[in-house]
Amino acid sequence: MSVETSPEERLEPPRQSLSTAAARNLATTTKSAPQMQEITSRWLLRMLPWVETKGGAYRVNRRLTYTVGDGSIEFLQNGAEVRVVPRELGELAVLRGFDDAEVLTALADRCVQRDFRAGEVLVERGAPADRIHLIAHGRIGQTSVGKYGDEVDVAVLADGGHFGENALLDPDARWKVTATARTAGTLLTLSRADFAAVTSTAPGLQAHLRQFTSRALPRQTRHGEAEIAMSSGHVGEAQLPGAFVDYELNPREYELSVAQTVLRVHTRVADLYNGPMNQTEEQLRLTIEALRERQEHELINNREFGLLHNAAFKQRIQSHTGPPTPDDLDDLLCRRRGTKFFLAHPRTIAAIGRGFTACGLYPDNVDLGGQQVPAWRGVPILPCNKIPITEDNTSSILAMRTGEENQGVIGLHQTGLPEEYEPGLSVRFMGMSEQAIISYLVTAYYSAAVLLPDALGVLENVQIARRSG
């Protein structure tokens, strides 16, 4: 009777040559440089023209812009912070014709910013009304109860609109409608108490509220800029009008932001394991890659200078049906001259392709630095995974004109830094600890500026998920 042996009990045949496992101990392996999945194409950093920013700040001087008398209220943006233009309060019937800049500024300072989300109920019908709402951005639907008890739509208000004006003077005012946000957005509120507090210290406003006087307002161009007086088509010695170009009194300044980290390398690693690759150089390379990724993220999302927060409200549009279509991109293109490129999340670009295919169209390709990229009407569509995707699978598409000479979007940095490693990035030796660890301070300074409002546009709430069925 035979007894079977287990595989472990079977003897290996005698080896007649050196094993590969042993040979590897004496051989130098072929190896790659350290790899990093976080690295992306960083098209935004590559496409932005970078402007030297001495003194750490860049001031954007513009012509004075205001449009009083068109029924729409305009706002000033400083990143995510929104403020009503004081003189624009003259669009309210109760303040029409009142032009005391100091009092209007005091009222504007009392306005409180409120960000709202889609579906949020802002006021309830029948509730006491004690404040006015000024819509900076977003769409708000107003509904009421019809003659037969059913809910009816009253109005849809958007950027520049307002409601609740009667609440400023009437202590018994109540909301006649229910206001519900149809999109996310921002509004400012001015309470009756704050309005009364300013009025109590302003005799001129008290007199105005009693008689509503009207005064002539300066003329503006169709773009809202203060008009430059001139004459044309005249003959002989006609009297020529005098003119000057008025500027904003408080222009926006962009300060350079900073991203920093401390790179630590043990001397034993730098001394003993420095071949065939320089360990310090490889550590520094990967650190700089991560720093540049953070830089691009900040240029998109920072609440002070990020492009998503600095796009003018009038340059933000909504998609027609949800998913991106050729019509949506055309609407984005037509709002500015010389659009240099679109910027979108890779998943959004895939949704653009599906939308175009559904229309029987196919985006062209253009050569960009030797690389073929998709384009629409000759404008490249570039990927950027720093553009956020919301929980409901919506995202945004940016379109921008770039360059100082084109009054577009520019990147800001400062070169010539101490121990500069790359333009706008320095690597400083910080010393060695008692544990023999060498430290390097890696610093990048950067920001971005939008020179004119129409240089940057955003297509918002783009649906990028596939539709079922």
Side-chain angles (χ1 to χ4, degrees):
M1 182 176 180
S2 62
V3 179
E4 292 190 6
T5 59
S6 65
E8 292 77 14
E9 296 175 328
R10 296 172 185 168
L11 296 177
E12 294 285 343
R15 193 168 52 245
Q16 300 181 17
S17 63
L18 182 68
S19 69
T20 55
R24 286 187 61 184
N25 294 329
L26 303 180
T28 299
T29 60
T30 301
K31 57 183 73 65
S32 73
Q35 306 298 299
M36 184 174 177
Q37 187 170 330
E38 186 182 3
I39 299 174
T40 65
S41 55
R42 298 198 293 267
W43 276 107
L44 179 61
L45 299 189
R46 294 160 60 182
M47 295 295 291
L48 278 183
W50 291 91
V51 175
E52 186 68 22
T53 309
K54 296 300 183 184
Y58 185 94
R59 179 179 297 159
V60 179
N61 290 309
R62 294 175 178 171
R63 281 183 63 183
L64 180 63
T65 301
Y66 59 89
T67 312
V68 178
D70 64 349
S72 178
I73 296 176
E74 296 182 6
F75 300 82
L76 296 174
Q77 294 175 250
N78 190 344
E81 181 183 348
V82 179
R83 186 172 185 273
V84 64
V85 178
R87 189 161 185 172
E88 287 289 314
L89 292 174
E91 299 293 350
L92 304 177
V94 70
L95 294 174
R96 189 160 297 142
F98 182 73
D99 62 355
D100 188 323
E102 184 177 346
V103 176
L104 292 176
T105 300
L107 289 172
D109 291 340
R110 297 267 185 158
C111 293
V112 178
Q113 180 173 338
R114 175 182 177 182
D115 297 323
F116 55 85
R117 63 184 184 277
E120 182 176 349
V121 177
L122 304 176
V123 301
E124 289 273 6
R125 179 177 178 271
D130 65 345
R131 65 193 63 234
I132 186 174
H133 295 70
L134 313 176
I135 305 172
H137 180 56
R139 292 173 64 85
I140 296 175
Q142 294 183 329
T143 59
S144 185
V145 177
K147 183 177 180 179
Y148 301 101
D150 53 340
E151 185 177 279
V152 295
D153 290 329
V154 176
V156 177
L157 304 177
D159 302 12
H162 62 274
F163 60 96
E165 185 174 352
N166 62 320
L168 294 179
L169 299 177
D170 183 3
D172 298 322
R174 291 185 173 273
W175 296 115
K176 297 180 180 180
V177 297
T178 296
T180 305
R182 296 192 176 180
T183 67
T186 301
L187 57 77
L188 301 181
T189 63
L190 176 63
S191 69
R192 184 192 309 122
D194 285 333
F195 185 79
V198 174
T199 303
S200 65
T201 60
L205 179 55
Q206 295 172 21
H208 170 81
L209 294 178
R210 287 193 294 267
Q211 53 186 341
F212 286 97
T213 57
S214 177
R215 301 181 183 181
L217 298 172
R219 300 179 64 182
Q220 302 95 35
T221 69
R222 63 187 179 90
H223 298 292
E225 298 174 331
E227 185 178 69
I228 301 175
M230 62 182 63
S231 177
S232 61
H234 54 273
V235 295
E237 299 179 353
Q239 180 89 21
L240 298 180
F244 68 95
V245 180
D246 205 359
Y247 299 127
E248 290 183 352
L249 295 179
N250 299 300
R252 171 78 184 274
E253 286 192 358
Y254 294 86
E255 293 186 358
L256 291 182
S257 182
V258 61
Q260 291 179 309
T261 188
V262 176
L263 172 63
R264 297 184 175 93
V265 181
H266 200 287
T267 53
R268 182 172 54 196
V269 172
D271 293 342
L272 302 181
Y273 303 97
N274 227 24
M277 298 177 187
N278 187 306
Q279 292 281 4
T280 302
E281 287 294 327
E282 291 300 323
Q283 287 281 301
L284 184 58
R285 178 180 66 85
L286 296 181
T287 301
I288 291 175
E289 292 284 2
L291 207 61
R292 293 301 192 191
E293 293 290 332
R294 172 62 65 86
Q295 177 181 349
E296 187 174 63
H297 179 274
E298 291 291 301
L299 290 176
I300 293 290
N301 298 288
N302 187 282
R303 291 183 65 84
E304 294 183 5
F305 60 85
L307 298 182
L308 283 177
H309 293 286
N310 280 274
F313 290 140
K314 290 187 176 180
Q315 295 295 326
R316 303 185 188 189
I317 61 176
Q318 306 294 319
S319 61
H320 288 78
T321 59
T325 65
D327 291 340
D328 291 328
L329 295 190
D330 282 342
D331 285 347
L332 200 53
L333 274 178
C334 74
R335 289 174 173 261
R336 70 200 42 77
R337 56 179 170 82
T339 301
K340 188 71 173 181
F341 59 89
F342 295 106
L343 202 65
H345 193 281
R347 287 182 57 192
T348 306
I349 295 179
I352 291 174
R354 292 195 298 270
F356 278 44
T357 302
C359 297
L361 300 172
Y362 300 92
D364 298 327
N365 285 336
V366 297
D367 182 87
L368 202 60
Q371 183 174 347
Q372 293 292 312
V373 297
W376 176 242
R377 301 198 185 281
V379 179
I381 305 173
L382 304 178
C384 178
N385 69 343
K386 314 305 188 303
I387 299 176
I389 296 177
T390 64
E391 294 181 356
D392 57 356
N393 282 299
T394 61
S395 188
S396 300
I397 300 174
L398 284 73
M400 65 188 78
R401 181 178 68 244
T402 59
E404 275 189 308
E405 66 284 357
N406 293 324
Q407 303 176 97
V409 181
I410 57 174
L412 306 176
H413 69 174
Q414 185 178 135
T415 59
L417 300 172
E419 300 181 55
E420 190 170 58
Y421 191 85
E422 293 179 357
L425 185 146
S426 67
V427 180
R428 294 186 179 183
F429 175 69
M430 297 177 61
M432 185 184 305
S433 71
E434 294 182 356
Q435 290 77 29
I437 297 177
I438 306 172
S439 297
Y440 299 89
L441 177 64
V442 187
T443 305
Y445 296 101
Y446 55 86
S447 188
V450 183
L451 301 188
L452 281 183
D454 72 344
L456 174 66
V458 181
L459 179 65
E460 298 181 318
N461 299 313
V462 177
Q463 180 61 247
I464 64 174
R466 288 178 178 270
R467 288 179 172 174
S468 60

